[in-house]
């Protein structure tokens, strides 16, 4: 394993220290327990948006804390759920009278720990569960996983909360965005979790892992390495069959790198995916291309599509000022 | 070789098509010859800033075209200089009466081709040569290489040109920023150029390449893999010996990933590097952490330091609106 670290034990703390220092105009880092929160106070009665999950997916979620997006993020150890005390402390810190909305990716550990935190919280609260990964069937035992669509939900909810939507409205909106968002990814290599010191899964030189999860979970099927057009068609078809966008439908197209895939290849995937939907008369009106929901050093990428309408477009376009997503302010 | 591509021949064109489509609010893509240019017209008599170089370093330079930064970028094939016809066509397209300033990384091919273009140009023009890589001695035969400091020069010059600085002022400023900027990088793995199909260099499981160039050129020395603190101290010391910042000096600290190194590790490096200079009383007042001057899928990172003053800080903070660097607008 070749990593730029001092020790497996100190990696997260040292990294969060650096993150908070590099962005000390936007965030604060609370050390005991760990959470990152907005430096700028929220408006009174704004719904406080809190997300979290295992580390190793950066910039998700810490890099998305700031005006117009999250109020706080709770990072667990790498690929390990944060604990209820982190969520409760973050909630107490950022709640300003409008209640707390947890945005939770659908993984057993995350779901359980956010539930425990919810049960112990006194303030008004709700949870939006993200399950945008269409690589698993809808009736999969633990449900579908939450992947790169999480960022889309967080951005849109961030704008709504900033504009004064109340907790019930945010909960309804978050569930709605999750329903009109679908993702699927492919891995060319495994990632290597520092604490394990070896790749999470074996993959042949001529193999790709179709439908991989953001922790390197095995996906739908290993496939023979093929060209980008075929890979993109495979991913896009699964998403298209789920969302069934009609001709004339406006969509947001997000190409997300898992960490080690060059931007050149991500933009090539964007070109192929946008052509795929263009041929169906679907209008790609907004785009996001880059490494946002990563899986440490995994090579590969995912495609996310969200069906947009005027309300969602306005919320997507609203100003956002975080470490890793920033426009309009 | 595992890449998300259709063919080595079509990769660049397909990728640029996707880039231009994803950012069609900011840039246009001219196909014959290849260059990316700003969609929004420049102010009359604004100095036109043009950079370029081999592809594979994205977002440098195409992702840095837009208001407050470059007017055009000329991408060559991967790790291959663009040709004079690209530079001349780009110059003709974006020149608006204020002349053209070429920003050129110091590599033989780039330097030669930008020189040929300069000789054939009719409009007023000048060139700023970037040679911020301190891994080579100053008297190295072809001089020092231009690496991640290029972005710093481009951002600062972009703001100056936008604010009305003339060609001579931009040239003087660019040379000055280059002189107060120093970088050095380390590779943990090689990159793989698609046309070659195999890693550029061999590196042992317990080796790192200290002072590597952004094309995977061998650096100062291969070293045994060690912890992040020692790696950062090695890089920072070389930079510190070059720039000799005094206590109280304000600096911009840029940690640049080469492509495959997770953000967690880059922020950890930021933490260690900022501590290094903090202990010397040097004040890190601005930061940039992320993958900006990449080397395809190489794992590793570089540190860049720029000595700042009030003028440079104001120019750094000025609004910028490009595909991959954006603030204040």
């Amino acid at each position: 394993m070749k990593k730029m670290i001092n020790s497996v034990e100190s990696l997260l703390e040292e990294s969060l220290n650096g993150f908070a220092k590099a962005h000390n105009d936007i965030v604060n880092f609370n050390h005991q327990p760990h959470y990152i929160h907005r430096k700028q106070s929220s408006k009174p009665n704004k719904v406080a948006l809190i997300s979290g999950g295992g580390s190793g997916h950066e910039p998700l979620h810490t890099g998305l804390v700031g005006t117009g997006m999250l109020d706080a993020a709770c990072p667990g150890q790498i690929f390990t759920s944060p604990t209820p005390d982190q969520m409760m402390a973050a909630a107490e810190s950022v709640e300003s009278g409008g209640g707390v909305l947890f945005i939770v990716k659908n993984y057993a550990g995350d779901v359980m720990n956010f539930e425990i935190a919810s049960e112990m919280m006194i303030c008004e609260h709700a949870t939006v569960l993200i399950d945008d990964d269409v690589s698993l069937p809808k009736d999969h035992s633990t449900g579908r996983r939450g992947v790169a669509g999480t960022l889309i939900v967080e951005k849109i909810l961030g704008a709504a909360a900033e504009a004064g939507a109340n907790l019930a409205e945010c909960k309804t909106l978050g569930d709605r965005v999750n329903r009109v968002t679908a993702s699927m990814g492919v891995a060319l290599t495994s990632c290597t979790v520092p604490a394990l010191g070896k790749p999470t899964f074996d993959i042949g030189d001529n193999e790709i892992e179709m439908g991989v999860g953001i922790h390197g979970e095995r996906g739908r099927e290993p496939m023979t390495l093929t060209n980008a057009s075929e890979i993109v068609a495979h991913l896009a078809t699964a998403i298209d069959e789920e969302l069934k966008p009609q001709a004339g439908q406006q969509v947001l197209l997000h190409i997300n790198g898992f960490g080690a895939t060059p931007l050149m290849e991500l933009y090539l995937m964007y070109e192929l995916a946008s052509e795929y939907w263009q041929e169906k008369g679907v209008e790609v009106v907004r785009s996001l291309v880059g490494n946002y929901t990563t899986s440490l050093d995994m090579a590969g990428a995912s495609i996310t599509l969200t069906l947009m309408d005027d309300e969602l477009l306005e919320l997507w376009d609203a100003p956002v000022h975080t470490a890793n997503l920033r426009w309009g302010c």
Side-chain angles (χ1 to χ4, degrees), chain A residues 86-264:
Chain A
Q86 292 176 256
M87 300 150 191
M88 291 173 64
E92 196 169 327
S93 156
V94 298
E95 209 271 336
S96 69
V100 168
L101 186 67
F102 287 144
I103 304 170
V104 182
K105 302 194 295 300
N106 187 31
Y107 296 98
D110 289 352
V111 171
M112 184 182 72
N113 286 333
F114 273 103
E115 267 178 12
I116 294 172
S118 293
E119 283 167 14
M120 293 195 286
M121 273 167 59
I122 297 160
C123 71
E124 221 192 341
H125 58 85
T127 296
V128 171
L129 195 68
I130 311 297
D131 59 355
D132 57 314
D133 184 352
V134 300
S135 68
L136 297 176
K138 264 192 177 155
D139 58 358
H140 179 75
S141 63
T142 53
R144 287 170 160 175
R145 303 174 291 223
V147 290
T150 312
L151 177 146
I152 313 297
V153 176
E154 290 177 354
K155 169 66 185 83
I156 287 174
L157 280 182
E162 213 74 55
N166 68 27
L167 183 61
E169 289 162 345
C170 284
K171 159 73 178 156
T172 302
L173 176 66
D175 287 341
R176 177 161 88 84
V177 177
N178 179 56
R179 275 196 307 275
V180 297
T181 297
S183 304
M184 191 158 130
V186 62
L188 275 64
T189 70
S190 175
C191 53
T192 297
V193 178
L196 294 181
K198 62 185 181 65
T200 304
F201 60 92
D202 292 324
I203 185 163
D205 283 348
N206 278 312
E207 251 183 8
I208 56 176
E209 189 64 40
M210 188 59 72
V212 73
I214 55 173
H215 308 90
E217 306 96 317
R218 277 271 144 105
R220 286 192 171 191
E221 54 198 327
M223 277 176 55
T224 303
L225 177 62
T226 179
N227 65 39
S229 289
E230 284 188 27
I231 294 172
V232 167
H234 200 100
L235 298 170
T237 300
I239 292 166
D240 193 75
E241 283 173 356
E242 177 74 22
L243 294 178
K244 300 186 174 56
Q246 302 297 304
Q249 172 69 52
Q250 296 192 316
V251 298
L252 162 65
L253 174 59
H254 173 30
I255 305 293
N256 172 61
F258 286 145
T261 290
L263 221 39
M264 281 191 85

Side-chain angles (χ1 to χ4, degrees), chain A residues 13 16-17 29-36 83 85-86 89-90:
Chain A
E13 182 87 10
L16 287 171
N17 276 332
F29 174 25
N30 190 77
H31 287 255
Q32 287 294 349
H34 278 175
Y35 62 88
I36 296 285
T83 49
D85 62 313
Q86 292 176 256

